[in-house]
């Protein structure tokens, strides 16, 4: 039989069903036909079966593995990276949210900016080994059309994604502690519904809609109930920020915590990806557990905001499905987020036994695939799954072998070790070079849109 792509002579790490039990094949091969994995085995056996291929990749000395999955991103946020704003105005997490997050960035977003930043972010993530993201687009003044712009960028670059627009009752320019407006949420719902009409959920598409909701504290119970109705009607799931701010704020305002508010509104369920989940009581964790909510752990942005450390060991103990998000802050290099999540709980709890290497890899592979409802499709190398494959050239001072390869990812791995990337059967990164977009043009366009946004804040560059 003829394959479209034949990868041979590699150290194939399947991660099927997970990092602990997945098969590791020395001198392994993977055959791809169309957008699926057709065969996995040792090179001699696969070559005998698939002697011919349009493209043969010799992976000698390299690792062949599934692509990483990041479950909470804001690709359009890139325009605000390093913005030299007046930091004396930032005295608390609230200031960071109200000014840096909203006034100086989100509220200034345009369709063109979202398109340019999303293209750049998707490209960088692919180059660093991320093949799937769950992206939440924000920008109340870029409506309608914000999601269409993001979708167009994702189509072009070739990453796999679920995308939604953030439904919020927040009014641009008005403090959320003064006033909310359900009319704003209506605009957000419409944006999501228009996107779902174009990119429906529950089908075979590389890009699908996933309803976005901001938080429990920027939406009324009615809006939260409506979000659940839409998620049920369209089978699209929900992405939402949960407990990223001090629990006391919600308890003071509603008499209940975020998980309590969301459970009462009926929003929680196994189709929910909840980002952050930091300040949780034992009861809050129990609520997430009994509703089988998936958690997107975002330790680097939580550290930046001074929000504390999420109780990940406690959530794992309760059997909560744990994944990793990064909000698109910092480098977009997958290795950075894997390593930070791997280390922080050991330090925070003074316990080196917490989160071993195989466990943190599951966060960005099988767990993440299941969180997105795509457990049967991505997250591991298995026959019949989508061909989302990395070829990694390890830059390691010590041998990378079947017995050392798992710890290589927490110890030494850097995104630049990723040499080639296949997504949905398409070779999108070929020996370090993007095949789908012109890298210089994508970078220049993003830079220009960042300049335009910064000028709106009086920053001339
Ligand atoms: Zn977020």
């Amino acid at each position: 039989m003829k394959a479209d792509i034949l990868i041979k002579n590699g150290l194939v790490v399947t991660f099927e069903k997970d990092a602990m039990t997945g098969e590791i094949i020395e001198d392994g091969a993977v055959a791809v036909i169309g957008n699926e994995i057709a065969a996995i085995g040792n090179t001699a056996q696969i070559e005998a079966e698939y002697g011919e291929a349009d493209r043969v990749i010799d992976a000698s000395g390299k690792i062949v593995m599934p692509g990483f999955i990041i479950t909470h991103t804001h690709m359009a946020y890139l325009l605000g990276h390093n913005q030299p704003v007046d930091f004396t105005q930032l005295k608390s997490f609230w200031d960071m949210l109200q000014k840096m997050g909203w006034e100086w960035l989100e509220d200034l977003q345009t369709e063109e900016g979202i398109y340019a930043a999303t293209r750049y972010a998707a490209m960088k993530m692919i180059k660093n080994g991320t093949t799937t993201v769950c992206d939440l687009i924000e920008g109340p003044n870029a409506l309608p059309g914000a999601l269409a712009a993001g979708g167009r960028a994702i189509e072009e670059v070739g990453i796999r994604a679920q995308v939604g627009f953030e439904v919020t009752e927040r009014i641009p320019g008005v403090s959320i502690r003064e006033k909310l407006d359900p009319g704003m949420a209506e605009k957000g719902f419409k944006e999501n519904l228009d996107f779902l009409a174009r990119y429906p959920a529950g089908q075979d598409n590389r890009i699908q809609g996933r309803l976005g909701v901001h938080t429990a504290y920027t939406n009324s119970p009615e809006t939260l109930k409506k979000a659940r109705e839409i998620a049920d009607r369209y089978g699209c799931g929900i992405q939402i920020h949960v407990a990223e701010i001090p629990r006391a704020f919600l308890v003071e305002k509603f008499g209940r915590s975020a998980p309590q508010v969301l459970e009462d509104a009926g929003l929680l369920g196994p189709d929910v990806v909840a980002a952050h989940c930091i300040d949780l009581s034992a009861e809050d964790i129990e609520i997430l557990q009994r509703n089988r909510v998936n958690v997107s752990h975002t330790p680097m942005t939580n550290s930046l905001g001074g929000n504390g450390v999420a109780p990940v060991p406690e959530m794992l103990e309760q059997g909560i499905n744990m994944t990793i998000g990064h909000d698109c802050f910092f480098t977009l290099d997958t290795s950075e987020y894997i390593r930070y999540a791997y280390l922080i709980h050991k330090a925070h709890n003074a316990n080196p036994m917490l989160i071993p290497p195989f466990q943190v890899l599951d966060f960005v592979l099988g767990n993440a695939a299941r969180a997105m409802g795509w457990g049967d499709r991505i997250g591991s190398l298995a026959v019949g799954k989508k061909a989302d494959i990395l070829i990694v050239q390890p830059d390691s001072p010590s041998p990378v072998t079947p017995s050392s390869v798992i710890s290589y990812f927490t110890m030494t791995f850097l995104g630049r070790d990723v040499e080639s990337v296949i997504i949905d059967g398409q070779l999108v990164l070929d020996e370090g070079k993007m095949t789908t977009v012109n890298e210089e043009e994508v970078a220049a366009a993003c830079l220009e849109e960042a300049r335009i946004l910064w000028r709106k804040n009086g920053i001339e560059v």
Side-chain angles (χ1 to χ4, degrees):
M1 263 199 288
K2 190 175 172 230
D4 292 317
I5 303 173
L6 175 66
I7 308 161
K8 60 179 193 178
N9 306 325
L11 179 63
V12 174
V13 189
T14 64
F15 291 94
E16 171 69 21
K17 297 199 169 316
D18 54 33
M20 176 88 126
T21 63
E23 194 183 358
I24 300 178
I25 310 164
E26 267 190 295
D27 194 12
V30 179
V32 174
I33 296 179
N35 67 351
E36 288 184 356
I37 295 169
I40 303 170
N42 67 53
T43 298
Q45 172 206 335
I46 301 297
E47 258 192 327
E49 215 178 319
Y50 298 89
E52 259 185 276
D54 285 341
R55 175 71 191 262
V56 177
I57 299 173
D58 182 2
S60 301
K62 296 168 192 171
I63 301 163
V64 181
M65 62 176 293
F68 294 116
I69 303 163
I70 299 291
T71 55
H72 187 68
T73 60
H74 300 287
M75 298 206 266
Y77 261 21
L78 260 58
L79 302 183
H81 278 199
N82 303 318
Q83 190 172 200
V85 292
D86 177 6
F87 288 98
T88 62
Q89 292 190 48
L90 306 177
K91 294 187 174 64
S92 68
F93 176 69
W94 280 113
D95 293 338
M96 291 183 75
L97 205 56
Q98 187 77 37
K99 293 178 192 296
M100 217 158 90
W102 296 336
E103 287 175 28
W104 300 340
L105 178 56
E106 235 174 86
D107 296 351
L108 305 176
Q109 289 283 19
T110 61
E111 274 180 55
E112 295 76 19
I114 290 167
Y115 170 72
T118 303
R119 275 203 311 165
Y120 184 94
M123 174 179 90
K124 278 285 175 194
M125 280 193 268
I126 287 174
K127 292 191 80 167
N128 286 282
T130 297
T131 52
T132 298
V133 294
C134 184
D135 195 61
L136 185 53
I137 296 184
E138 298 156 325
N141 294 318
L143 291 176
L147 271 181
R152 193 155 54 89
I154 291 163
E155 287 263 14
E156 270 181 47
V157 180
I159 203 164
R160 188 182 297 282
Q162 291 179 357
V163 195
F165 186 85
E166 177 187 278
V167 168
T168 173
E169 296 181 12
R170 181 178 75 82
I171 310 160
V174 178
S175 162
I176 59 159
R177 295 200 257 195
E178 279 165 34
K179 202 175 168 220
L180 293 173
D181 173 15
M184 290 303 301
E186 283 309 313
K187 284 196 202 176
F189 279 128
K190 183 166 186 320
E191 187 72 3
N192 280 285
L193 292 172
D194 288 349
F195 192 77
L196 280 162
R198 171 108 195 259
Y199 299 102
Q203 298 185 12
D204 207 35
N205 322 334
R206 176 167 61 82
I207 306 171
Q208 297 191 6
R210 172 176 283 268
L211 179 61
V213 180
H214 181 222
T215 66
Y217 60 88
T218 48
N219 286 300
S220 60
E222 291 69 35
T223 294
L224 298 174
K225 283 192 182 107
K226 186 168 178 183
R228 170 43 65 202
E229 281 166 25
I230 289 175
D232 286 345
R233 196 173 329 136
Y234 292 87
C236 60
I238 293 173
Q239 48 179 328
I240 182 169
H241 303 103
V242 176
E244 76 281 30
I245 58 163
R247 194 174 185 275
F249 171 77
L250 273 127
V251 173
E252 191 186 304
K253 187 173 172 187
F254 301 107
R256 290 165 301 158
S257 69
Q260 286 168 333
V261 169
L262 295 170
E263 186 182 50
D264 287 353
L267 183 134
L268 299 179
D271 61 347
V272 172
V273 177
H276 310 307
C277 297
I278 310 161
D279 194 357
L280 301 170
S281 69
E283 198 205 333
D284 292 337
I285 293 175
E286 207 186 300
I287 290 172
L288 297 177
Q289 186 272 333
R290 70 172 170 244
N291 288 282
R292 295 191 290 138
V293 171
N294 306 282
V295 170
S296 180
H297 176 40
T298 55
M300 286 190 76
T301 32
N302 302 158
S303 296
L304 179 74
N307 308 99
V309 179
V312 170
E314 291 82 350
M315 286 192 269
L316 286 169
E317 211 155 280
Q318 295 304 315
I320 291 175
N321 187 38
M322 198 60 56
T323 71
I324 291 181
H326 59 45
D327 289 300
C328 286
F329 271 74
F330 310 107
T331 63
L332 306 178
D333 178 342
T334 324
S335 73
E336 194 165 17
Y337 308 101
I338 293 173
R339 193 164 294 117
Y340 200 76
Y342 170 67
L343 293 173
I344 192 167
H345 303 287
K346 296 174 180 60
H348 185 61
N349 297 282
N351 181 355
M353 302 311 286
L354 295 172
I355 326 257
F358 66 86
Q359 194 164 33
V360 78
L361 287 172
D362 286 339
F363 290 3
V364 282
L365 291 166
N367 291 12
R370 279 187 291 280
M372 293 175 75
W374 283 349
D376 59 347
R377 169 178 320 200
I378 53 173
S380 67
L381 300 183
V383 172
K385 277 198 166 179
K386 299 296 175 202
D388 288 8
I389 305 170
L390 308 183
I391 296 156
V392 179
Q393 168 74 71
D395 178 4
S396 172
S398 58
V400 176
T401 67
S403 54
S404 72
V405 66
I406 296 296
S407 70
Y408 152 76
F409 285 105
T410 48
M411 198 67 137
T412 323
F413 170 59
L414 287 172
R416 66 174 183 229
D417 296 356
V418 175
E419 192 179 84
S420 297
V421 176
I422 295 164
I423 301 176
D424 214 33
Q426 188 187 8
L427 188 64
V428 291
L429 185 78
D430 189 357
E431 295 183 7
K433 267 262 165 236
M434 291 295 294
T435 64
T436 50
V437 288
N438 176 327
E439 294 180 41
E440 287 75 27
E441 186 265 325
V442 168
C446 186
L447 209 62
E448 185 48 31
E449 284 298 330
R451 274 195 196 98
I452 292 170
L453 187 135
W454 287 20
R455 276 190 207 117
K456 293 177 187 167
N457 287 319
I459 302 158
E460 270 311 321
V461 276

